[in-house]
Short mmCIF file of all heavy atoms in Angstrom, two decimals:
data_model
loop_
_atom_site.label_atom_id
_atom_site.label_comp_id
_atom_site.label_asym_id
_atom_site.label_seq_id
_atom_site.Cartn_x
_atom_site.Cartn_y
_atom_site.Cartn_z
N VAL E 1 137.51 99.51 82.24
CA VAL E 1 138.92 99.42 82.59
C VAL E 1 139.01 99.52 84.11
O VAL E 1 138.43 100.42 84.72
CB VAL E 1 139.74 100.55 81.93
CG1 VAL E 1 141.18 100.53 82.45
CG2 VAL E 1 139.70 100.42 80.42
N PHE E 2 139.73 98.60 84.72
CA PHE E 2 139.68 98.51 86.18
C PHE E 2 141.04 98.16 86.77
O PHE E 2 141.72 97.27 86.30
CB PHE E 2 138.65 97.45 86.59
CG PHE E 2 138.29 97.46 88.04
CD1 PHE E 2 137.55 98.49 88.59
CD2 PHE E 2 138.69 96.42 88.86
CE1 PHE E 2 137.21 98.49 89.93
CE2 PHE E 2 138.36 96.40 90.20
CZ PHE E 2 137.61 97.44 90.74
N HIS E 3 141.40 98.89 87.84
CA HIS E 3 142.64 98.65 88.58
C HIS E 3 142.25 97.97 89.91
O HIS E 3 141.79 98.65 90.83
CB HIS E 3 143.37 99.96 88.86
CG HIS E 3 143.67 100.75 87.63
ND1 HIS E 3 144.93 100.86 87.09
CD2 HIS E 3 142.87 101.49 86.82
CE1 HIS E 3 144.90 101.63 86.01
NE2 HIS E 3 143.64 102.01 85.82
N PRO E 4 142.38 96.66 90.03
CA PRO E 4 141.93 95.97 91.25
C PRO E 4 142.91 96.15 92.41
O PRO E 4 144.13 96.06 92.23
CB PRO E 4 141.87 94.51 90.80
CG PRO E 4 142.93 94.40 89.75
CD PRO E 4 142.95 95.73 89.04
N PHE E 5 142.36 96.40 93.60
CA PHE E 5 143.20 96.61 94.78
C PHE E 5 143.10 95.46 95.78
O PHE E 5 144.09 94.94 96.25
CB PHE E 5 142.80 97.91 95.49
CG PHE E 5 143.06 99.15 94.67
CD1 PHE E 5 142.38 100.33 94.94
CD2 PHE E 5 143.98 99.15 93.62
CE1 PHE E 5 142.62 101.48 94.20
CE2 PHE E 5 144.21 100.29 92.87
CZ PHE E 5 143.53 101.46 93.17
N ILE E 6 141.84 95.08 96.12
CA ILE E 6 141.65 93.99 97.08
C ILE E 6 140.41 93.19 96.72
O ILE E 6 139.55 93.66 95.97
CB ILE E 6 141.49 94.50 98.54
CG1 ILE E 6 140.22 95.36 98.67
CG2 ILE E 6 142.73 95.22 99.02
CD1 ILE E 6 139.83 95.66 100.11
N LEU E 7 140.32 91.99 97.27
CA LEU E 7 139.11 91.18 97.21
C LEU E 7 138.46 91.24 98.59
O LEU E 7 139.15 91.15 99.61
CB LEU E 7 139.45 89.72 96.87
CG LEU E 7 139.87 89.47 95.43
CD1 LEU E 7 140.57 88.12 95.31
CD2 LEU E 7 138.67 89.53 94.49
N LYS E 8 137.14 91.39 98.61
CA LYS E 8 136.44 91.52 99.88
C LYS E 8 135.22 90.61 99.90
O LYS E 8 134.48 90.54 98.91
CB LYS E 8 136.01 92.97 100.12
CG LYS E 8 135.31 93.19 101.47
CD LYS E 8 135.07 94.66 101.73
CE LYS E 8 134.30 94.88 103.02
NZ LYS E 8 135.03 94.41 104.21
N GLU E 9 135.02 89.93 101.02
CA GLU E 9 133.85 89.08 101.19
C GLU E 9 132.93 89.70 102.23
O GLU E 9 133.38 90.18 103.27
CB GLU E 9 134.28 87.68 101.64
CG GLU E 9 133.15 86.65 101.71
CD GLU E 9 132.47 86.61 103.06
OE1 GLU E 9 133.03 87.13 104.05
OE2 GLU E 9 131.35 86.07 103.13
N TYR E 10 131.63 89.72 101.93
CA TYR E 10 130.65 90.19 102.90
C TYR E 10 129.35 89.42 102.69
O TYR E 10 128.85 89.33 101.56
CB TYR E 10 130.39 91.70 102.73
CG TYR E 10 129.28 92.21 103.64
CD1 TYR E 10 129.50 92.33 105.02
CD2 TYR E 10 128.03 92.54 103.14
CE1 TYR E 10 128.49 92.77 105.86
CE2 TYR E 10 127.02 92.99 103.98
CZ TYR E 10 127.26 93.10 105.34
OH TYR E 10 126.26 93.54 106.18
N ASN E 11 128.84 88.88 103.78
CA ASN E 11 127.56 88.19 103.76
C ASN E 11 127.52 87.10 102.69
O ASN E 11 126.55 86.95 101.95
CB ASN E 11 126.42 89.19 103.55
CG ASN E 11 125.07 88.63 103.95
OD1 ASN E 11 124.99 87.71 104.76
ND2 ASN E 11 124.00 89.19 103.40
N ASN E 12 128.61 86.35 102.61
CA ASN E 12 128.74 85.21 101.69
C ASN E 12 128.74 85.62 100.21
O ASN E 12 128.40 84.83 99.34
CB ASN E 12 127.61 84.19 101.94
CG ASN E 12 128.02 82.78 101.56
OD1 ASN E 12 129.21 82.46 101.48
ND2 ASN E 12 127.06 81.92 101.33
N ARG E 13 129.11 86.88 99.93
CA ARG E 13 129.29 87.34 98.55
C ARG E 13 130.67 87.96 98.44
O ARG E 13 131.18 88.57 99.38
CB ARG E 13 128.23 88.39 98.16
CG ARG E 13 126.83 87.86 98.03
CD ARG E 13 125.89 88.93 97.53
NE ARG E 13 126.07 89.20 96.11
CZ ARG E 13 125.60 90.29 95.49
NH1 ARG E 13 124.97 91.22 96.16
NH2 ARG E 13 125.77 90.45 94.19
N TRP E 14 131.29 87.82 97.26
CA TRP E 14 132.62 88.35 97.04
C TRP E 14 132.56 89.58 96.14
O TRP E 14 131.74 89.66 95.22
CB TRP E 14 133.51 87.29 96.37
CG TRP E 14 133.99 86.25 97.34
CD1 TRP E 14 133.37 85.09 97.69
CD2 TRP E 14 135.22 86.29 98.08
NE1 TRP E 14 134.13 84.40 98.59
CE2 TRP E 14 135.26 85.11 98.86
CE3 TRP E 14 136.27 87.19 98.18
CZ2 TRP E 14 136.33 84.80 99.71
CZ3 TRP E 14 137.33 86.90 99.02
CH2 TRP E 14 137.35 85.72 99.77
N PHE E 15 133.46 90.52 96.43
CA PHE E 15 133.56 91.77 95.68
C PHE E 15 135.03 92.06 95.37
O PHE E 15 135.91 91.68 96.14
CB PHE E 15 132.98 92.94 96.48
CG PHE E 15 131.55 92.77 96.88
CD1 PHE E 15 131.20 92.02 98.00
CD2 PHE E 15 130.53 93.36 96.14
CE1 PHE E 15 129.87 91.85 98.38
CE2 PHE E 15 129.20 93.20 96.51
CZ PHE E 15 128.87 92.45 97.63
N VAL E 16 135.26 92.72 94.24
CA VAL E 16 136.60 93.22 93.95
C VAL E 16 136.53 94.73 94.08
O VAL E 16 135.62 95.38 93.55
CB VAL E 16 137.09 92.78 92.55
CG1 VAL E 16 136.17 93.26 91.44
CG2 VAL E 16 138.52 93.28 92.31
N VAL E 17 137.49 95.29 94.80
CA VAL E 17 137.51 96.72 95.09
C VAL E 17 138.70 97.33 94.36
O VAL E 17 139.81 96.80 94.40
CB VAL E 17 137.63 96.97 96.60
CG1 VAL E 17 137.61 98.47 96.91
CG2 VAL E 17 136.50 96.26 97.35
N GLY E 18 138.46 98.44 93.69
CA GLY E 18 139.54 99.10 92.97
C GLY E 18 139.09 100.40 92.34
O GLY E 18 138.04 100.96 92.69
N ARG E 19 139.89 100.86 91.38
CA ARG E 19 139.61 102.14 90.74
C ARG E 19 139.36 101.94 89.24
O ARG E 19 140.18 101.33 88.55
CB ARG E 19 140.78 103.10 90.94
CG ARG E 19 140.44 104.57 90.75
CD ARG E 19 141.69 105.44 90.87
NE ARG E 19 142.32 105.34 92.16
CZ ARG E 19 141.96 106.06 93.23
NH1 ARG E 19 140.95 106.90 93.15
NH2 ARG E 19 142.61 105.91 94.38
N PRO E 20 138.24 102.45 88.72
CA PRO E 20 137.94 102.31 87.29
C PRO E 20 138.64 103.38 86.47
O PRO E 20 139.10 104.40 87.00
CB PRO E 20 136.42 102.50 87.25
CG PRO E 20 136.14 103.44 88.38
CD PRO E 20 137.14 103.10 89.46
N GLY E 21 138.73 103.16 85.15
CA GLY E 21 139.30 104.16 84.25
C GLY E 21 140.81 104.17 84.25
O GLY E 21 141.47 103.28 84.79
N VAL E 22 141.38 105.19 83.65
CA VAL E 22 142.84 105.29 83.52
C VAL E 22 143.40 106.44 84.34
O VAL E 22 144.60 106.65 84.37
CB VAL E 22 143.24 105.48 82.04
CG1 VAL E 22 142.90 104.23 81.24
CG2 VAL E 22 142.57 106.70 81.44
N GLU E 23 142.53 107.18 85.03
CA GLU E 23 142.98 108.31 85.83
C GLU E 23 142.91 107.98 87.31
O GLU E 23 141.97 107.33 87.77
CB GLU E 23 142.11 109.55 85.54
CG GLU E 23 142.17 110.02 84.09
CD GLU E 23 141.27 111.21 83.86
OE1 GLU E 23 140.68 111.70 84.84
OE2 GLU E 23 141.14 111.64 82.70
N ALA E 24 143.90 108.47 88.05
CA ALA E 24 143.97 108.20 89.48
C ALA E 24 142.92 108.96 90.28
O ALA E 24 142.70 108.69 91.46
CB ALA E 24 145.37 108.55 90.01
N LYS E 25 142.25 109.93 89.64
CA LYS E 25 141.26 110.75 90.34
C LYS E 25 139.89 110.07 90.43
O LYS E 25 139.02 110.53 91.16
CB LYS E 25 141.11 112.09 89.63
CG LYS E 25 142.37 112.95 89.66
CD LYS E 25 142.15 114.27 88.94
CE LYS E 25 143.42 115.11 88.95
NZ LYS E 25 143.23 116.41 88.24
N LYS E 26 139.69 109.00 89.71
CA LYS E 26 138.41 108.31 89.74
C LYS E 26 138.16 107.74 91.13
O LYS E 26 139.07 107.24 91.80
CB LYS E 26 138.40 107.17 88.72
CG LYS E 26 138.40 107.63 87.27
CD LYS E 26 137.00 107.94 86.81
CE LYS E 26 136.98 108.20 85.30
NZ LYS E 26 135.61 108.43 84.79
N PRO E 27 136.91 107.78 91.60
CA PRO E 27 136.60 107.23 92.93
C PRO E 27 136.72 105.72 92.97
O PRO E 27 136.52 105.04 91.95
CB PRO E 27 135.15 107.67 93.16
CG PRO E 27 134.58 107.86 91.79
CD PRO E 27 135.72 108.36 90.95
N ILE E 28 137.05 105.19 94.12
CA ILE E 28 137.17 103.75 94.31
C ILE E 28 135.77 103.13 94.36
O ILE E 28 134.86 103.66 95.00
CB ILE E 28 137.95 103.44 95.60
CG1 ILE E 28 139.40 103.88 95.43
CG2 ILE E 28 137.89 101.95 95.95
CD1 ILE E 28 140.22 103.82 96.69
N VAL E 29 135.59 102.02 93.65
CA VAL E 29 134.30 101.35 93.59
C VAL E 29 134.48 99.86 93.86
O VAL E 29 135.61 99.36 93.94
CB VAL E 29 133.62 101.54 92.21
CG1 VAL E 29 133.36 103.02 91.95
CG2 VAL E 29 134.49 100.93 91.10
N ASN E 30 133.37 99.15 94.00
CA ASN E 30 133.43 97.70 94.13
C ASN E 30 132.51 97.06 93.12
O ASN E 30 131.46 97.62 92.77
CB ASN E 30 133.07 97.26 95.56
CG ASN E 30 131.60 97.48 95.89
OD1 ASN E 30 130.74 96.73 95.43
ND2 ASN E 30 131.32 98.50 96.69
N PHE E 31 132.90 95.90 92.62
CA PHE E 31 132.10 95.13 91.69
C PHE E 31 131.82 93.75 92.30
O PHE E 31 132.75 93.07 92.76
CB PHE E 31 132.80 94.94 90.35
CG PHE E 31 132.94 96.21 89.56
CD1 PHE E 31 134.10 96.48 88.84
CD2 PHE E 31 131.91 97.15 89.50
CE1 PHE E 31 134.24 97.65 88.10
CE2 PHE E 31 132.04 98.32 88.78
CZ PHE E 31 133.19 98.57 88.07
N ALA E 32 130.56 93.37 92.31
CA ALA E 32 130.20 92.03 92.80
C ALA E 32 130.65 90.99 91.78
O ALA E 32 130.41 91.14 90.58
CB ALA E 32 128.69 91.94 93.01
N LEU E 33 131.30 89.94 92.25
CA LEU E 33 131.82 88.93 91.34
C LEU E 33 130.70 88.20 90.60
O LEU E 33 130.90 87.73 89.48
CB LEU E 33 132.68 87.92 92.10
CG LEU E 33 134.19 88.22 92.14
CD1 LEU E 33 134.46 89.55 92.83
CD2 LEU E 33 134.95 87.10 92.82
N ASP E 34 129.52 88.13 91.20
CA ASP E 34 128.43 87.41 90.53
C ASP E 34 127.80 88.21 89.39
O ASP E 34 126.95 87.71 88.67
CB ASP E 34 127.36 86.97 91.53
CG ASP E 34 126.81 88.12 92.35
OD1 ASP E 34 126.83 89.26 91.88
OD2 ASP E 34 126.34 87.87 93.48
N ARG E 35 128.24 89.47 89.22
CA ARG E 35 127.74 90.29 88.11
C ARG E 35 128.80 90.46 87.02
O ARG E 35 128.58 91.14 86.03
CB ARG E 35 127.28 91.67 88.60
CG ARG E 35 126.24 91.65 89.71
CD ARG E 35 125.06 90.77 89.39
NE ARG E 35 124.39 91.16 88.16
CZ ARG E 35 123.62 90.39 87.43
NH1 ARG E 35 123.43 89.14 87.80
NH2 ARG E 35 123.04 90.83 86.34
N ILE E 36 129.97 89.88 87.23
CA ILE E 36 131.04 89.93 86.23
C ILE E 36 130.80 88.86 85.18
O ILE E 36 130.67 87.67 85.50
CB ILE E 36 132.42 89.75 86.88
CG1 ILE E 36 132.72 90.93 87.82
CG2 ILE E 36 133.51 89.63 85.82
CD1 ILE E 36 134.04 90.80 88.57
#
């Protein structure tokens, strides 16, 4: 479960940055789009 905040590009790779889970206390993480 993921709450997406922004899309970020670095070194020709794209990532989605946001918070996992349903609680606001969870740390912010990033997921590489090529692993989705």
Side-chain angles (χ1 to χ4, degrees):
V1 173
F2 192 70
H3 304 254
F5 295 158
I6 64 168
L7 288 163
K8 182 173 176 62
E9 186 270 343
Y10 175 72
N11 198 23
N12 208 20
R13 290 185 75 196
W14 283 89
F15 301 82
V16 58
V17 181
R19 200 184 299 275
V22 293
E23 298 178 4
K25 296 180 181 180
K26 291 276 188 177
I28 293 172
V29 299
N30 69 75
F31 292 141
L33 267 61
D34 55 27
R35 305 309 302 159
I36 295 177

